[in-house]
Amino acid sequence: MMLEIKLIPQNEFQRVRAAAVDPVDKLAVTADMCRANALATVKRAGSGHLGSSFSSLDIVTLLYFDEMNLVRQGVDSVDRDIYFSSKGHDVPGHYAVLYALGLIPEERFINLRRLGGTHGHPDLSVPGIEANSGSLGMGISKAKGMALAKTLKGAGGRVYVMTGDGELQEGQIWESLQTTVQQKIHNINVIVDHNKIQSDKQLDEIVSLGDLTAKFEAFGWYVERCDGHDFAAMKAALERFRTIDDRPKALIADTVKGQGVSFMEGPAALAKGQGLYQWHSGAPDDEAFEAGFAELVERTNGRLQDLGLEPLQLQLLERRETNRVRLKDTAEKVVTAYGEALVELGRERDDIIVMDADLSADCGLRPFETTFPDRFVESGIAEQDMVSMAGGLALHGFLPIVNSFGVFLASRGNEQIYNNATEKTKIIYACHYAGLIPAGPGKSHQSLRDISLFGALPNCIIIEPGNAEETRQALAWCVREADQNCMLRLIISPSPRTIPLPDDYRLTFGKGTVIREGTDAILFAYGPVMLNEALVAGDILESRNVSLKVVNLPWLNRVDSGWLDKTAGACEHLFVLDNHFSVGGLGDMLVDRAMASARLRGRRIIKFAVEDFPACGTPPEALRKHGLDGESLSRKILQAIDMA
């Protein structure tokens, strides 16, 4: 059987928009049409965030099609209203609205998370997007900057910013609430998408927010609360906002995560998932996609019929063979091995405390969470609080193992990590989602600064293991042998291949291991993604009569000088491949060590790394864009050897 992915084209939105029907009915139809298109693009991309896109889509549809002056005055008008999302996960829905208005061309819209298409999180390079998303909690601060800019320019227009409810756990949110009032910035409207479910659990199970209305009001905001799927109620609240000119405004919109597709909607999905929500991220399988898309189209056509309008005319985007039975994922995941090792070490030592920032499933922590619930600390989306709490635990004899995505943990909690380091206790930081890949979510999630941030600390050892077995050994070394802080870098996606290691391999401090023999040049690399590309480059070079030695060096800021000298031997062509920006990675460390080595001093070490802000796209697209795929590496190595 064949799966068909279809699109509702722009002319269908224009037809509905021009129809002489009740405005509220028109908004409801338009929102479901946008849901169908968001679902289609996420399915085609193979990943994306549907739950929060669907919960926020009625709000975003109301803003763009009814409330804001953006379309009437033109996108270049200084007096235009501005909307952006602080949480960013809901961007597939936002793109669908922008496409419906003709602001994003079709070719770009349908290529979500692909090079040259739309980014997995908001990015200014996409038409209609007003601000890049980043670590959660930034949005209100950025919005009040925009609002102040309007005031200073004497410009009209209002600023709207969407936040998630889980996002309100970030400390910067509460800083921005009090300073907005203190700074007398009143042309700002915050809308909370209060769907009450975080990445996979109910908000109240992570960190309850209590009485949100009272909290906002305590900071001096004017607050309204209504059903975020009731267009009439939202219109009335926003109309009242226009009459308030002495305070900033907040609308708490009670929504349903996954709204519009029955089996994705919060209560039903939680019941099916036994308390876990499965539609936060990722793409549905073929059966779920077909069922969800059909439900949206059928409801839309029913409404169109009731309004005396013709049914939708759909456009075929892609036809592919169906895979009704989901094949078991056989690719190795280092995060799975990490989670298993945590449980094993937890049984061995009762001083281990595992800490999480609302990413338990993604970080492989669920086995520890269920096995040792009393030693699992859920901090919610509050990395700074989590890191400082770890510091307190360490001062009183516990061994905290702190987990989050690397881009958030390393940078958001950097000052707190530094403070902990000055106390010379021992903490293990696990930076998940390390490096360039996967590149689909975009630069807000690609962690390419963490080695330099942790590497600046005098008492922190950084390791990125290359396969599952090395992951187990690396965590065990950090727990059992290290006398300093440790940072583990772990990729989140399945490994491109299982990186080969000797059967008797033992992780040894400061030393790596040769995984491909060669005599003409040496390439040092680490981690499953870049070691795979290094091996590919070796195979390509072999066909061109160049013998490349590939060395796995998991120690990113420590190296055994004797081992390095011996491994380099007499080879004149030394290369380093970093899954990081060019500054502060393994390449810089080896260059420094080579300058200090009598045997290596004077030899040129060429670094390959990410030299610009990371590209958004599929893994092959992103690697190729940055010249870090096997083919590109082989060309660069050949060129360097020929020029020598």
Side-chain angles (χ1 to χ4, degrees):
M1 294 179 66
M2 302 297 291
L3 171 72
E4 292 186 341
I5 301 177
K6 296 180 179 179
L7 181 75
I8 301 173
Q10 283 176 358
N11 63 314
E12 288 292 89
F13 288 93
Q14 295 165 359
R15 174 172 71 91
V16 171
R17 194 173 176 200
V21 298
D22 181 85
V24 169
D25 290 333
K26 194 184 297 187
L27 288 169
V29 169
T30 301
D32 268 352
M33 291 167 66
C34 289
R35 284 187 175 90
N37 277 353
L39 178 59
T41 57
V42 168
K43 176 61 177 175
R44 190 164 186 265
S47 63
H49 294 85
L50 290 171
S52 53
S53 288
F54 287 0
S55 66
S56 65
L57 244 170
D58 290 336
I59 302 165
V60 180
T61 300
L62 172 69
L63 290 174
Y64 277 90
F65 282 88
D66 186 83
E67 180 68 19
M68 297 200 303
N69 65 15
L70 173 69
V71 177
R72 292 194 298 277
Q73 293 194 16
V75 294
D76 294 323
S77 169
V78 295
D79 294 319
R80 76 185 190 278
D81 292 331
I82 291 173
Y83 166 79
F84 69 97
S85 171
S86 177
K87 62 176 179 171
H89 293 131
D90 53 338
V91 80
H94 193 180
Y95 291 150
V97 170
L98 295 174
Y99 168 74
L101 291 167
L103 297 176
I104 298 180
E106 182 177 300
E107 182 60 26
R108 191 157 192 189
F109 173 63
I110 64 175
N111 284 309
L112 174 66
R113 297 186 170 221
R114 295 185 182 179
L115 196 66
T118 54
H119 291 227
H121 283 74
D123 191 273
L124 281 172
S125 65
V126 180
I129 296 297
E130 300 277 3
N132 291 358
S133 68
S135 184
L136 291 176
M138 298 179 182
I140 299 176
S141 302
K142 189 164 285 189
K144 73 186 177 87
M146 295 177 177
L148 178 59
K150 282 184 172 292
T151 300
L152 294 173
K153 291 179 178 179
R158 297 155 293 177
V159 178
Y160 297 89
V161 58
M162 172 90 71
T163 75
D165 48 9
E167 182 177 10
L168 301 186
Q169 294 158 1
E170 281 284 15
Q172 186 177 350
I173 290 286
W174 304 97
E175 294 176 11
S176 64
L177 291 182
Q178 63 183 345
T179 54
T180 303
V181 173
Q182 178 68 26
Q183 294 158 357
K184 296 181 172 59
I185 299 172
H186 303 150
N187 54 336
I188 180 174
N189 304 272
V190 170
I191 303 175
V192 179
D193 178 17
H194 195 16
N195 62 39
K196 304 167 190 68
I197 298 175
Q198 296 194 210
S199 60
D200 61 1
K201 283 188 175 183
Q202 293 186 80
L203 181 142
D204 284 349
E205 294 184 45
I206 306 297
V207 178
S208 175
L209 295 175
D211 187 341
L212 269 186
T213 299
K215 287 183 175 179
F216 272 80
E217 288 177 340
F219 283 93
W221 287 62
Y222 175 80
V223 185
E224 295 235 3
R225 185 166 189 163
C226 70
D227 183 340
H229 305 301
D230 184 329
F231 289 101
M234 288 191 289
K235 279 172 62 68
L238 293 176
E239 285 173 6
R240 287 189 289 273
F241 278 11
R242 294 193 200 101
T243 69
I244 307 297
D245 60 7
D246 63 343
R247 282 169 287 172
K249 281 77 69 178
L251 176 63
I252 300 169
D254 289 300
T255 59
V256 175
K257 195 158 186 174
Q259 171 74 15
V261 174
S262 56
F263 57 85
M264 293 185 183
E265 291 177 349
L270 285 170
K272 186 175 181 180
Q274 297 181 319
L276 299 178
Y277 185 81
Q278 69 180 102
W279 303 107
H280 174 72
S281 62
D285 62 21
D286 294 349
E287 187 173 3
F289 167 73
E290 289 180 326
F293 193 83
E295 182 178 335
L296 289 165
V297 170
E298 287 170 10
R299 184 167 62 247
T300 300
N301 282 336
R303 284 174 169 164
L304 291 174
Q305 183 178 18
D306 292 342
L307 297 172
L309 300 176
E310 293 296 315
L312 294 171
Q313 296 295 313
L314 303 179
Q315 172 185 329
L316 180 65
L317 279 185
E318 184 179 317
R319 181 182 286 114
R320 63 172 79 153
E321 288 189 11
T322 60
N323 180 18
R324 294 276 181 186
V325 179
R326 300 186 77 171
L327 298 177
K328 184 177 180 181
D329 187 0
T330 56
E332 180 181 73
K333 291 185 178 180
V334 297
V335 72
T336 302
Y338 171 76
E340 293 168 350
L342 276 179
V343 173
E344 179 183 337
L345 291 163
R347 292 194 176 101
E348 177 183 310
R349 291 181 52 159
D350 59 11
D351 62 337
I352 289 176
I353 307 292
V354 172
M355 309 186 75
D356 173 52
D358 188 33
L359 291 167
S360 180
D362 287 326
C363 297
L365 310 180
R366 194 74 77 212
F368 190 98
E369 178 184 1
T370 56
T371 306
F372 305 106
D374 292 341
R375 290 193 278 136
F376 177 82
V377 177
E378 178 54 75
S379 302
I381 306 171
E383 296 85 2
Q384 295 172 333
D385 174 68
M386 174 175 65
V387 170
S388 290
M389 184 180 180
L393 285 164
L395 284 168
H396 285 262
F398 287 92
L399 176 58
I401 302 179
V402 183
N403 298 266
S404 188
F405 287 176
V407 71
F408 307 139
L409 179 55
S411 54
R412 194 80 178 186
N414 184 253
E415 181 62 23
Q416 290 74 19
I417 290 167
Y418 172 78
N419 178 268
N420 290 346
T422 65
E423 294 171 341
K424 298 184 179 179
T425 55
K426 177 178 168 181
I427 299 173
I428 299 170
Y429 300 94
C431 287
H432 300 259
Y433 204 135
L436 182 66
I437 304 301
K443 61 179 68 73
S444 64
H445 281 57
Q446 292 158 289
S447 188
L448 299 166
R449 296 169 289 152
D450 50 291
I451 301 174
S452 57
L453 289 169
F454 275 93
L457 300 173
N459 59 346
C460 185
I461 299 167
I462 307 171
I463 310 171
E464 181 170 342
N467 67 12
E469 177 54 32
E470 194 168 51
T471 300
R472 295 184 186 93
Q473 293 192 30
L475 180 60
W477 185 90
C478 293
V479 170
R480 295 168 180 160
E481 300 184 44
D483 58 3
Q484 303 177 60
N485 295 298
C486 295
M487 190 271 264
L488 283 174
R489 294 185 97 226
L490 300 172
I491 70 164
I492 195 171
S493 53
S495 302
R497 70 168 90 181
T498 298
I499 301 301
L501 291 172
D503 292 339
D504 59 350
Y505 176 74
R506 290 291 178 269
L507 185 75
T508 305
F509 180 70
K511 298 182 180 181
T513 185
V514 176
I515 61 173
R516 190 183 196 282
E517 293 290 350
T519 56
D520 296 323
I522 299 174
L523 178 57
F524 295 91
Y526 55 88
V529 172
M530 292 309 177
L531 285 171
N532 174 68
E533 300 305 323
L535 291 169
V536 170
D539 292 341
I540 294 171
L541 288 169
E542 185 175 11
S543 69
R544 298 170 189 174
N545 298 315
V546 173
S547 177
L548 178 70
K549 179 188 288 187
V550 176
V551 180
N552 168 34
L553 181 52
W555 307 90
L556 304 188
N557 66 337
R558 300 286 193 276
V559 67
D560 183 291
S561 298
W563 171 86
L564 181 61
D565 288 350
K566 181 179 178 181
T567 302
C571 186
E572 291 297 322
H573 304 292
L574 308 180
F575 303 91
V576 187
L577 176 57
D578 261 305
N579 194 9
H580 191 264
F581 283 133
S582 59
V583 175
L586 176 65
D588 278 358
M589 190 266 287
L590 289 184
V591 168
D592 289 345
R593 292 307 174 93
M595 291 176 64
S597 167
R599 291 188 59 185
L600 297 181
R601 192 180 304 122
R603 294 196 219 176
R604 184 184 179 199
I605 297 181
I606 296 177
K607 300 187 300 180
F608 303 128
V610 179
E611 301 289 349
D612 199 354
F613 289 111
C616 174
T618 64
E621 287 174 338
L623 288 163
R624 189 162 52 248
K625 174 71 174 177
H626 291 285
L628 301 178
D629 62 298
E631 178 64 42
S632 299
L633 291 170
S634 66
R635 288 198 303 269
K636 292 178 180 179
I637 291 170
L638 273 175
Q639 183 181 22
I641 291 174
D642 289 343
M643 292 174 61

